[in-house]
Amino acid sequence: MARARRARRPAALAALALALAGCADLDATADRNCSDFTSQREAQTWHEDHPQAGLDADGNGYACESLAGPARAAGSAARRARVIRVVDGDTIKVELDGGRLDTVRLVGIDTPESKRPQTPVECGSKKAASTLRRLVEGRDVLLRRDATQDAVDKYGRALAYVEADGKDAGEAMVASGWAKPYVYGGVEFTRVGAYRAALREAAARRAGVHGSCGGDFHRAA
């Protein structure tokens, strides 16, 4: 009997060690917050392994979105929001469900600049902003991410398609002639084909920049 108890003792000690290790892991998980990570990508990796750690404050599947380093969007799940202000032709301020505010850069388009530091106001920038304002400002929209693109840009803005009443505002901007398709880093976004078709049609009609600015989206005003 004594030998049997001695034989069971190593197994019991091993089980205790595993239990203590599990507790330590739980403590480490509980102690983690966004300041412990150097990039959003690093935080996202940790979050996917430890979803209980609380790094996804708004429950949208993306950890520590305020960090500078972008991560690829996980899919095309949409978030509801209300557009409270149009910043320029490709950037908006929104209020998400729950009252959280966010800045959104429309994925896949480029418009004449009016807000970039050390950059002169460009031809068509005011028209681009007013066109986007008519499309989305004050309206309820869906923000839909593209799995081929980053979740946030280097300025911390969320990257998303913006849809109002089922209409893609980015594609509508290209069709209006005040925006053109924009492929970042050589990685084509999912809707690039439709955007390029809209660009060809706008150019043929000499709409927007194509007629008013000689087709140059970054010419000084």
Side-chain angles (χ1 to χ4, degrees), residues 14-30 50 52:
L16 178 60
L18 285 172
L20 290 173
C23 290
D25 184 61
L26 286 174
D27 288 342
T29 298
H50 307 86
Q52 74 277 19

mmCIF file of all heavy atoms in Angstrom, residues 14-30 50 52:
data_model
loop_
_atom_site.group_PDB
_atom_site.id
_atom_site.type_symbol
_atom_site.label_atom_id
_atom_site.label_comp_id
_atom_site.label_asym_id
_atom_site.label_seq_id
_atom_site.Cartn_x
_atom_site.Cartn_y
_atom_site.Cartn_z
ATOM 1 N N ALA A 14 2.673 16.192 -10.725
ATOM 2 C CA ALA A 14 2.612 16.663 -12.112
ATOM 3 C C ALA A 14 1.292 17.369 -12.381
ATOM 4 O O ALA A 14 1.241 18.414 -13.038
ATOM 5 C CB ALA A 14 2.793 15.487 -13.072
ATOM 6 N N ALA A 15 0.198 16.793 -11.872
ATOM 7 C CA ALA A 15 -1.115 17.415 -12.066
ATOM 8 C C ALA A 15 -1.171 18.775 -11.388
ATOM 9 O O ALA A 15 -1.732 19.743 -11.923
ATOM 10 C CB ALA A 15 -2.209 16.500 -11.514
ATOM 11 N N LEU A 16 -0.570 18.872 -10.181
ATOM 12 C CA LEU A 16 -0.546 20.146 -9.467
ATOM 13 C C LEU A 16 0.247 21.189 -10.242
ATOM 14 O O LEU A 16 -0.148 22.357 -10.341
ATOM 15 C CB LEU A 16 0.062 19.941 -8.076
ATOM 16 C CG LEU A 16 0.211 21.199 -7.213
ATOM 17 C CD1 LEU A 16 -1.154 21.835 -6.966
ATOM 18 C CD2 LEU A 16 0.890 20.865 -5.885
ATOM 19 N N ALA A 17 1.375 20.756 -10.826
ATOM 20 C CA ALA A 17 2.201 21.684 -11.609
ATOM 21 C C ALA A 17 1.435 22.211 -12.811
ATOM 22 O O ALA A 17 1.495 23.400 -13.144
ATOM 23 C CB ALA A 17 3.482 20.982 -12.060
ATOM 24 N N LEU A 18 0.697 21.325 -13.480
ATOM 25 C CA LEU A 18 -0.101 21.758 -14.628
ATOM 26 C C LEU A 18 -1.179 22.748 -14.214
ATOM 27 O O LEU A 18 -1.445 23.743 -14.895
ATOM 28 C CB LEU A 18 -0.741 20.549 -15.314
ATOM 29 C CG LEU A 18 0.193 19.677 -16.154
ATOM 30 C CD1 LEU A 18 -0.535 18.418 -16.609
ATOM 31 C CD2 LEU A 18 0.699 20.459 -17.366
ATOM 32 N N ALA A 19 -1.812 22.483 -13.080
ATOM 33 C CA ALA A 19 -2.860 23.384 -12.597
ATOM 34 C C ALA A 19 -2.296 24.753 -12.273
ATOM 35 O O ALA A 19 -2.884 25.785 -12.602
ATOM 36 C CB ALA A 19 -3.535 22.780 -11.360
ATOM 37 N N LEU A 20 -1.118 24.777 -11.621
ATOM 38 C CA LEU A 20 -0.490 26.052 -11.289
ATOM 39 C C LEU A 20 -0.090 26.811 -12.548
ATOM 40 O O LEU A 20 -0.223 28.031 -12.622
ATOM 41 C CB LEU A 20 0.740 25.812 -10.404
ATOM 42 C CG LEU A 20 0.438 25.332 -8.974
ATOM 43 C CD1 LEU A 20 1.730 24.966 -8.257
ATOM 44 C CD2 LEU A 20 -0.323 26.405 -8.199
ATOM 45 N N ALA A 21 0.395 26.073 -13.547
ATOM 46 C CA ALA A 21 0.760 26.716 -14.813
ATOM 47 C C ALA A 21 -0.457 27.334 -15.470
ATOM 48 O O ALA A 21 -0.404 28.431 -16.027
ATOM 49 C CB ALA A 21 1.408 25.700 -15.756
ATOM 50 N N GLY A 22 -1.594 26.623 -15.394
ATOM 51 C CA GLY A 22 -2.824 27.162 -15.961
ATOM 52 C C GLY A 22 -3.257 28.428 -15.261
ATOM 53 O O GLY A 22 -3.692 29.394 -15.890
ATOM 54 N N CYS A 23 -3.109 28.450 -13.934
ATOM 55 C CA CYS A 23 -3.464 29.655 -13.185
ATOM 56 C C CYS A 23 -2.560 30.813 -13.563
ATOM 57 O O CYS A 23 -3.001 31.955 -13.709
ATOM 58 C CB CYS A 23 -3.356 29.398 -11.682
ATOM 59 S SG CYS A 23 -4.647 28.292 -11.055
ATOM 60 N N ALA A 24 -1.274 30.520 -13.730
ATOM 61 C CA ALA A 24 -0.332 31.571 -14.116
ATOM 62 C C ALA A 24 -0.688 32.134 -15.475
ATOM 63 O O ALA A 24 -0.615 33.340 -15.707
ATOM 64 C CB ALA A 24 1.095 31.014 -14.126
ATOM 65 N N ASP A 25 -1.097 31.222 -16.389
ATOM 66 C CA ASP A 25 -1.475 31.682 -17.726
ATOM 67 C C ASP A 25 -2.706 32.571 -17.670
ATOM 68 O O ASP A 25 -2.791 33.590 -18.348
ATOM 69 C CB ASP A 25 -1.737 30.473 -18.629
ATOM 70 C CG ASP A 25 -2.031 30.888 -20.055
ATOM 71 O OD1 ASP A 25 -1.153 31.504 -20.669
ATOM 72 O OD2 ASP A 25 -3.140 30.607 -20.529
ATOM 73 N N LEU A 26 -3.670 32.201 -16.810
ATOM 74 C CA LEU A 26 -4.865 33.022 -16.665
ATOM 75 C C LEU A 26 -4.519 34.389 -16.102
ATOM 76 O O LEU A 26 -5.044 35.417 -16.531
ATOM 77 C CB LEU A 26 -5.877 32.316 -15.750
ATOM 78 C CG LEU A 26 -6.611 31.117 -16.365
ATOM 79 C CD1 LEU A 26 -7.455 30.435 -15.299
ATOM 80 C CD2 LEU A 26 -7.477 31.552 -17.535
ATOM 81 N N ASP A 27 -3.586 34.404 -15.113
ATOM 82 C CA ASP A 27 -3.180 35.679 -14.532
ATOM 83 C C ASP A 27 -2.511 36.556 -15.580
ATOM 84 O O ASP A 27 -2.751 37.759 -15.662
ATOM 85 C CB ASP A 27 -2.211 35.448 -13.366
ATOM 86 C CG ASP A 27 -2.939 34.868 -12.148
ATOM 87 O OD1 ASP A 27 -4.180 34.974 -12.110
ATOM 88 O OD2 ASP A 27 -2.258 34.316 -11.263
ATOM 89 N N ALA A 28 -1.637 35.925 -16.415
ATOM 90 C CA ALA A 28 -0.949 36.700 -17.456
ATOM 91 C C ALA A 28 -1.938 37.259 -18.456
ATOM 92 O O ALA A 28 -1.821 38.392 -18.917
ATOM 93 C CB ALA A 28 0.075 35.804 -18.165
ATOM 94 N N THR A 29 -2.957 36.439 -18.784
ATOM 95 C CA THR A 29 -3.975 36.897 -19.719
ATOM 96 C C THR A 29 -4.748 38.071 -19.141
ATOM 97 O O THR A 29 -4.997 39.070 -19.806
ATOM 98 C CB THR A 29 -4.945 35.739 -20.044
ATOM 99 O OG1 THR A 29 -4.216 34.694 -20.671
ATOM 100 C CG2 THR A 29 -6.060 36.201 -20.960
ATOM 101 N N ALA A 30 -5.114 37.944 -17.868
ATOM 102 C CA ALA A 30 -5.904 38.995 -17.239
ATOM 103 C C ALA A 30 -5.129 40.297 -17.142
ATOM 104 O O ALA A 30 -5.704 41.378 -17.189
ATOM 105 C CB ALA A 30 -6.351 38.534 -15.853
ATOM 106 N N HIS A 50 -6.354 34.415 -27.011
ATOM 107 C CA HIS A 50 -6.886 34.688 -25.671
ATOM 108 C C HIS A 50 -8.071 35.655 -25.770
ATOM 109 O O HIS A 50 -7.985 36.803 -25.319
ATOM 110 C CB HIS A 50 -5.802 35.292 -24.771
ATOM 111 C CG HIS A 50 -4.543 34.486 -24.703
ATOM 112 N ND1 HIS A 50 -3.524 34.620 -25.630
ATOM 113 C CD2 HIS A 50 -4.139 33.528 -23.826
ATOM 114 C CE1 HIS A 50 -2.545 33.785 -25.319
ATOM 115 N NE2 HIS A 50 -2.891 33.109 -24.238
ATOM 116 N N GLN A 52 -10.629 36.008 -24.169
ATOM 117 C CA GLN A 52 -11.177 36.453 -22.892
ATOM 118 C C GLN A 52 -10.369 37.581 -22.270
ATOM 119 O O GLN A 52 -10.735 38.106 -21.215
ATOM 120 C CB GLN A 52 -11.248 35.265 -21.907
ATOM 121 C CG GLN A 52 -9.901 34.826 -21.330
ATOM 122 C CD GLN A 52 -9.132 33.885 -22.249
ATOM 123 O OE1 GLN A 52 -9.402 33.824 -23.441
ATOM 124 N NE2 GLN A 52 -8.182 33.147 -21.681
#
